[in-house]
Amino acid sequence: MTTQVIVLNGGSSAGKSEIVRNLQAVLSRPWLAFGVDSLIEAMPQSMHASETGIEFAPDGGVDVGPDFMALQTAWMEGIAAMARAGAGIIIDDVFLGAVATQERWRKVLGGLNVLWVGVRCDSAVAAERERARGDRIVGMAVSQAAVVHEGVAYDLEVDTTRTDSLTCAKAILGHVRQHRAPD
């Protein structure tokens, strides 16, 4: 069965977004990409630093409230609808709830052929990227590096610690092609 959705999960600054850009370049047909960062940017400012929305702690911790969860569910459903309508979809997410987040995605993406990809990166390397980026709260990469993978089942894992994003994208492409999916 043709892969319809590719879900990348990894901590902040693990290299997911760069892998997504490279995937879009190497896949032979157009794929749409959606990331949790874009969801957060699309939310009203009043939800930032709100206990019902999303809060970023000074140490890099992230807490989400019921309003965030409701909008995230709507966003997830919309992405699934696009996949069901025939668009190839790549999702760039951070499973803060680890396996519970994957289960939410599984429910929403039910009936679709999904490739689950774990994007790992040594926490020290991710922390250095975080500092170099300058657009993240210091500590986020270290706090998320392992927890987002706890109990999550993957079809494929890549590690950006020493492997560049294009090589990781080509490994994902190889997995898509291997499973009879014309990309």
Side-chain angles (χ1 to χ4, degrees):
M1 186 197 272
T2 301
T3 301
Q4 297 166 287
V5 180
I6 301 169
V7 179
L8 280 70
N9 173 49
S12 180
S13 300
K16 299 178 304 301
S17 298
E18 192 65 29
I19 292 172
V20 169
R21 282 189 284 280
N22 280 291
L23 261 174
Q24 288 180 305
V26 299
L27 290 161
S28 62
R29 68 179 174 100
W31 287 64
L32 296 173
F34 297 95
V36 69
D37 288 345
S38 297
L39 168 66
I40 293 167
E41 289 172 14
M43 291 181 176
Q45 277 303 112
S46 62
M47 288 186 61
H48 296 232
S50 162
E51 66 182 40
T52 62
I54 186 165
E55 294 181 292
F56 298 95
D59 66 355
V62 180
D63 290 312
V64 297
D67 291 344
F68 176 91
M69 295 297 283
L71 287 177
Q72 184 183 42
T73 297
W75 175 74
M76 293 165 84
E77 292 282 353
I79 289 171
M82 286 184 279
R84 287 189 179 90
I89 303 291
I90 306 167
I91 299 166
D92 168 352
D93 204 351
V94 178
F95 290 5
L96 293 175
V99 72
T101 304
Q102 184 177 37
E103 288 308 312
R104 288 181 69 217
W105 274 115
R106 281 190 196 280
K107 181 179 175 187
V108 168
L109 299 172
L112 294 168
N113 189 8
V114 180
L115 175 64
W116 299 95
V117 181
V119 180
R120 296 189 182 267
C121 183
D122 178 81
S123 62
V125 172
E128 183 53 41
R129 291 177 186 166
E130 177 180 73
R131 279 189 284 282
R133 286 173 70 167
D135 66 348
R136 298 281 188 239
I137 297 168
V138 174
M140 194 177 286
V142 171
S143 70
Q144 295 175 0
V147 71
V148 299
H149 299 291
E150 290 177 1
V152 177
Y154 298 113
D155 299 306
L156 176 68
E157 292 189 44
V158 295
D159 190 325
T160 65
T161 304
R162 290 177 197 80
T163 306
D164 67 82
S165 58
L166 179 58
T167 301
C168 293
K170 287 179 178 177
I172 295 166
L173 173 64
H175 198 277
V176 169
R177 287 184 173 159
Q178 177 183 17
H179 290 87
R180 169 194 121 79
D183 59 38

